CSV table of all heavy atoms in Angstrom, one decimal:
chain,number,residue,atom,x,y,z
X,1,TYR,N,101.6,96.4,107.9
X,1,TYR,CA,101.4,96.3,109.3
X,1,TYR,C,102.7,96.6,110.1
X,1,TYR,O,103.8,96.4,109.6
X,1,TYR,CB,101.0,94.8,109.6
X,1,TYR,CG,99.6,94.5,109.1
X,1,TYR,CD1,99.5,93.9,107.8
X,1,TYR,CD2,98.5,94.6,109.8
X,1,TYR,CE1,98.2,93.6,107.3
X,1,TYR,CE2,97.2,94.3,109.3
X,1,TYR,CZ,97.1,93.8,108.0
X,1,TYR,OH,95.9,93.4,107.5
X,2,SER,N,102.5,97.0,111.3
X,2,SER,CA,103.7,97.2,112.2
X,2,SER,C,103.3,97.0,113.6
X,2,SER,O,102.1,97.0,113.9
X,2,SER,CB,104.3,98.6,112.0
X,2,SER,OG,103.5,99.6,112.8
X,3,SER,N,104.2,96.8,114.5
X,3,SER,CA,103.9,96.8,115.9
X,3,SER,C,103.6,98.3,116.3
X,3,SER,O,103.7,99.2,115.5
X,3,SER,CB,105.1,96.3,116.7
X,3,SER,OG,106.0,97.4,117.1
X,4,THR,N,103.1,98.5,117.5
X,4,THR,CA,102.7,99.8,117.9
X,4,THR,C,103.9,100.6,118.4
X,4,THR,O,103.8,101.8,118.7
X,4,THR,CB,101.7,99.7,119.1
X,4,THR,OG1,102.1,98.8,120.1
X,4,THR,CG2,100.3,99.2,118.6
X,5,ALA,N,105.1,100.0,118.5
X,5,ALA,CA,106.3,100.7,118.9
X,5,ALA,C,106.7,101.8,117.9
X,5,ALA,O,106.6,101.6,116.7
X,5,ALA,CB,107.5,99.7,119.0
X,6,LEU,N,107.2,102.9,118.4
X,6,LEU,CA,107.5,104.0,117.5
X,6,LEU,C,108.5,103.6,116.4
X,6,LEU,O,108.3,103.9,115.2
X,6,LEU,CB,108.1,105.1,118.3
X,6,LEU,CG,108.6,106.4,117.6
X,6,LEU,CD1,107.4,107.0,116.8
X,6,LEU,CD2,109.1,107.4,118.6
X,7,ARG,N,109.5,102.9,116.8
X,7,ARG,CA,110.6,102.5,115.8
X,7,ARG,C,110.0,101.7,114.7
X,7,ARG,O,110.4,101.7,113.5
X,7,ARG,CB,111.7,101.8,116.5
X,7,ARG,CG,111.4,100.5,117.2
X,7,ARG,CD,112.6,100.1,118.1
X,7,ARG,NE,112.4,98.9,118.9
X,7,ARG,CZ,111.8,98.8,120.0
X,7,ARG,NH1,111.1,99.8,120.5
X,7,ARG,NH2,111.7,97.6,120.7
X,8,ALA,N,109.0,100.8,115.0
X,8,ALA,CA,108.4,99.9,113.9
X,8,ALA,C,107.5,100.8,113.1
X,8,ALA,O,107.5,100.6,111.8
X,8,ALA,CB,107.6,98.8,114.6
X,9,ARG,N,106.8,101.7,113.6
X,9,ARG,CA,105.9,102.6,112.9
X,9,ARG,C,106.7,103.5,112.0
X,9,ARG,O,106.3,103.7,110.8
X,9,ARG,CB,105.0,103.3,113.8
X,9,ARG,CG,103.9,102.5,114.4
X,9,ARG,CD,102.9,103.3,115.3
X,9,ARG,NE,103.4,103.7,116.5
X,9,ARG,CZ,103.6,105.0,116.9
X,9,ARG,NH1,103.4,106.0,116.0
X,9,ARG,NH2,104.1,105.3,118.1
X,10,GLN,N,107.8,104.0,112.5
X,10,GLN,CA,108.7,104.8,111.6
X,10,GLN,C,109.3,104.1,110.5
X,10,GLN,O,109.5,104.6,109.4
X,10,GLN,CB,109.8,105.4,112.5
X,10,GLN,CG,109.3,106.5,113.5
X,10,GLN,CD,110.4,107.1,114.3
X,10,GLN,OE1,111.3,106.4,114.7
X,10,GLN,NE2,110.3,108.4,114.6
X,11,THR,N,109.6,102.8,110.7
X,11,THR,CA,110.1,101.9,109.6
X,11,THR,C,109.1,101.6,108.6
X,11,THR,O,109.3,101.6,107.4
X,11,THR,CB,110.7,100.6,110.2
X,11,THR,OG1,111.7,100.9,111.2
X,11,THR,CG2,111.3,99.8,109.1
X,12,ALA,N,107.9,101.4,109.1
X,12,ALA,CA,106.7,101.0,108.2
X,12,ALA,C,106.2,102.2,107.4
X,12,ALA,O,105.7,102.0,106.2
X,12,ALA,CB,105.6,100.5,109.0
X,13,GLN,N,106.4,103.4,107.9
X,13,GLN,CA,105.7,104.6,107.2
X,13,GLN,C,106.2,104.8,105.7
X,13,GLN,O,105.3,105.0,104.9
X,13,GLN,CB,105.9,105.9,108.0
X,13,GLN,CG,105.1,107.1,107.5
X,13,GLN,CD,103.6,106.7,107.5
X,13,GLN,OE1,103.0,106.5,108.5
X,13,GLN,NE2,103.0,106.8,106.3
X,14,PRO,N,107.5,104.7,105.4
X,14,PRO,CA,107.9,104.9,104.1
X,14,PRO,C,107.3,103.8,103.1
X,14,PRO,O,107.0,104.1,102.0
X,14,PRO,CB,109.4,104.9,104.1
X,14,PRO,CG,109.8,105.1,105.5
X,14,PRO,CD,108.7,104.7,106.3
X,15,LEU,N,107.3,102.6,103.6
X,15,LEU,CA,106.7,101.5,102.9
X,15,LEU,C,105.2,101.8,102.5
X,15,LEU,O,104.7,101.6,101.5
X,15,LEU,CB,106.8,100.2,103.6
X,15,LEU,CG,108.1,99.5,103.7
X,15,LEU,CD1,108.1,98.5,104.8
X,15,LEU,CD2,108.5,98.9,102.4
X,16,ALA,N,104.5,102.3,103.6
X,16,ALA,CA,103.1,102.5,103.4
X,16,ALA,C,102.9,103.7,102.5
X,16,ALA,O,101.9,103.6,101.6
X,16,ALA,CB,102.5,102.8,104.8
X,17,THR,N,103.6,104.7,102.6
X,17,THR,CA,103.5,105.9,101.7
X,17,THR,C,103.7,105.5,100.3
X,17,THR,O,103.0,105.9,99.4
X,17,THR,CB,104.5,107.0,102.1
X,17,THR,OG1,104.3,107.4,103.5
X,17,THR,CG2,104.5,108.2,101.2
X,18,ALA,N,104.8,104.7,100.1
X,18,ALA,CA,105.0,104.2,98.6
X,18,ALA,C,103.9,103.4,98.1
X,18,ALA,O,103.6,103.4,96.9
X,18,ALA,CB,106.4,103.4,98.7
X,19,ALA,N,103.3,102.6,99.0
X,19,ALA,CA,102.2,101.7,98.6
X,19,ALA,C,100.9,102.4,98.5
X,19,ALA,O,99.8,101.8,98.0
X,19,ALA,CB,102.1,100.5,99.5
X,20,GLY,N,100.8,103.6,99.1
X,20,GLY,CA,99.5,104.3,99.1
X,20,GLY,C,98.5,103.8,100.1
X,20,GLY,O,97.3,103.9,99.8
X,21,VAL,N,99.0,103.3,101.2
X,21,VAL,CA,98.1,102.8,102.2
X,21,VAL,C,98.5,103.4,103.6
X,21,VAL,O,99.6,104.1,103.7
X,21,VAL,CB,98.2,101.3,102.3
X,21,VAL,CG1,97.7,100.6,101.0
X,21,VAL,CG2,99.6,100.8,102.7
X,22,GLU,N,97.7,103.2,104.6
X,22,GLU,CA,98.0,103.6,106.0
X,22,GLU,C,98.7,102.5,106.7
X,22,GLU,O,98.5,101.3,106.4
X,22,GLU,CB,96.8,104.0,106.7
X,22,GLU,CG,96.0,105.2,106.1
X,22,GLU,CD,96.7,106.4,106.3
X,22,GLU,OE1,97.4,106.6,107.4
X,22,GLU,OE2,96.7,107.3,105.4
X,23,VAL,N,99.6,102.8,107.6
X,23,VAL,CA,100.2,101.8,108.5
X,23,VAL,C,99.1,101.3,109.5
X,23,VAL,O,98.4,102.1,110.1
X,23,VAL,CB,101.4,102.4,109.3
X,23,VAL,CG1,101.9,101.3,110.3
X,23,VAL,CG2,102.5,102.9,108.4
X,24,ARG,N,99.0,100.0,109.6
X,24,ARG,CA,98.1,99.4,110.5
X,24,ARG,C,98.9,98.9,111.7
X,24,ARG,O,99.6,97.8,111.6
X,24,ARG,CB,97.3,98.2,109.9
X,24,ARG,CG,96.6,98.6,108.6
X,24,ARG,CD,95.7,97.5,108.1
X,24,ARG,NE,95.3,97.6,106.7
X,24,ARG,CZ,94.5,96.8,106.1
X,24,ARG,NH1,94.1,95.6,106.7
X,24,ARG,NH2,94.2,97.1,104.8
X,25,ALA,N,98.9,99.6,112.8
X,25,ALA,CA,99.7,99.2,114.0
X,25,ALA,C,99.0,98.2,114.9
X,25,ALA,O,97.8,98.5,115.2
X,25,ALA,CB,100.1,100.5,114.8
X,26,LEU,N,99.6,97.1,115.2
X,26,LEU,CA,99.0,96.1,115.9
X,26,LEU,C,99.8,95.8,117.3
X,26,LEU,O,101.0,95.4,117.1
X,26,LEU,CB,98.9,94.8,115.1
X,26,LEU,CG,98.2,94.8,113.8
X,26,LEU,CD1,98.3,93.5,113.1
X,26,LEU,CD2,96.7,95.2,114.0
X,27,PRO,N,99.2,95.8,118.4
X,27,PRO,CA,99.9,95.5,119.6
X,27,PRO,C,100.6,94.1,119.7
X,27,PRO,O,101.6,94.0,120.3
X,27,PRO,CB,98.9,95.7,120.8
X,27,PRO,CG,97.8,96.5,120.1
X,27,PRO,CD,97.8,96.3,118.7
X,28,ASP,N,99.9,93.1,119.0
X,28,ASP,CA,100.5,91.8,119.1
X,28,ASP,C,101.7,91.6,118.3
X,28,ASP,O,102.4,90.5,118.4
X,28,ASP,CB,99.4,90.8,118.5
X,28,ASP,CG,98.3,90.5,119.5
X,28,ASP,OD1,98.5,90.8,120.7
X,28,ASP,OD2,97.2,90.0,119.1
X,29,LEU,N,102.2,92.6,117.5
X,29,LEU,CA,103.5,92.5,116.8
X,29,LEU,C,104.6,93.0,117.7
X,29,LEU,O,105.8,93.1,117.2
X,29,LEU,CB,103.4,93.2,115.5
X,29,LEU,CG,102.7,92.5,114.3
X,29,LEU,CD1,102.6,93.4,113.1
X,29,LEU,CD2,103.4,91.2,114.0
X,30,MET,N,104.4,93.4,118.9
X,30,MET,CA,105.4,94.0,119.8
X,30,MET,C,106.5,93.0,120.1
X,30,MET,O,106.4,91.8,119.9
X,30,MET,CB,104.8,94.4,121.1
X,30,MET,CG,104.0,95.7,121.0
X,30,MET,SD,105.0,97.1,120.6
X,30,MET,CE,106.0,97.3,122.1
X,31,GLU,N,107.6,93.6,120.6
X,31,GLU,CA,108.7,92.8,121.0
X,31,GLU,C,108.4,92.1,122.3
X,31,GLU,O,107.4,92.4,122.9
X,31,GLU,CB,109.9,93.7,121.2
X,31,GLU,CG,111.2,93.1,121.7
X,31,GLU,CD,111.7,92.0,120.7
X,31,GLU,OE1,111.0,91.0,120.5
X,31,GLU,OE2,112.8,92.2,120.1
X,32,VAL,N,109.2,91.0,122.6
X,32,VAL,CA,109.0,90.2,123.8
X,32,VAL,C,109.0,91.1,125.0
X,32,VAL,O,109.9,91.9,125.2
X,32,VAL,CB,110.1,89.2,123.8
X,32,VAL,CG1,110.1,88.4,125.2
X,32,VAL,CG2,110.1,88.2,122.7
X,33,GLY,N,108.0,90.9,125.9
X,33,GLY,CA,107.9,91.6,127.1
X,33,GLY,C,108.8,90.9,128.2
X,33,GLY,O,108.7,89.7,128.3
X,34,ILE,N,109.5,91.7,128.9
X,34,ILE,CA,110.4,91.2,130.0
X,34,ILE,C,110.0,91.7,131.4
X,34,ILE,O,110.8,91.7,132.3
X,34,ILE,CB,111.9,91.4,129.7
X,34,ILE,CG1,112.2,92.9,129.6
X,34,ILE,CG2,112.3,90.7,128.4
X,34,ILE,CD1,113.7,93.2,129.5
X,35,GLY,N,108.8,92.0,131.5
X,35,GLY,CA,108.2,92.4,132.8
X,35,GLY,C,108.9,93.4,133.5
X,35,GLY,O,109.2,94.5,133.0
């Protein structure tokens, strides 16, 4: 799983590739919103 932010998805991708799965991007894992 990763947040929907690009940097999180890029970090997750090698893990997912090694595990043979797709990255599941979830908006609720995002960083704190500061309006």
Side-chain angles (χ1 to χ4, degrees):
Y1 293 89
S2 82
S3 87
T4 50
L6 177 59
R7 60 193 182 279
R9 289 185 284 115
Q10 288 179 327
T11 303
Q13 190 57 60
L15 286 166
T17 298
V21 298
E22 297 291 324
V23 175
R24 303 185 196 183
L26 303 175
D28 282 342
L29 283 176
M30 282 296 289
E31 182 57 295
V32 173
I34 59 172

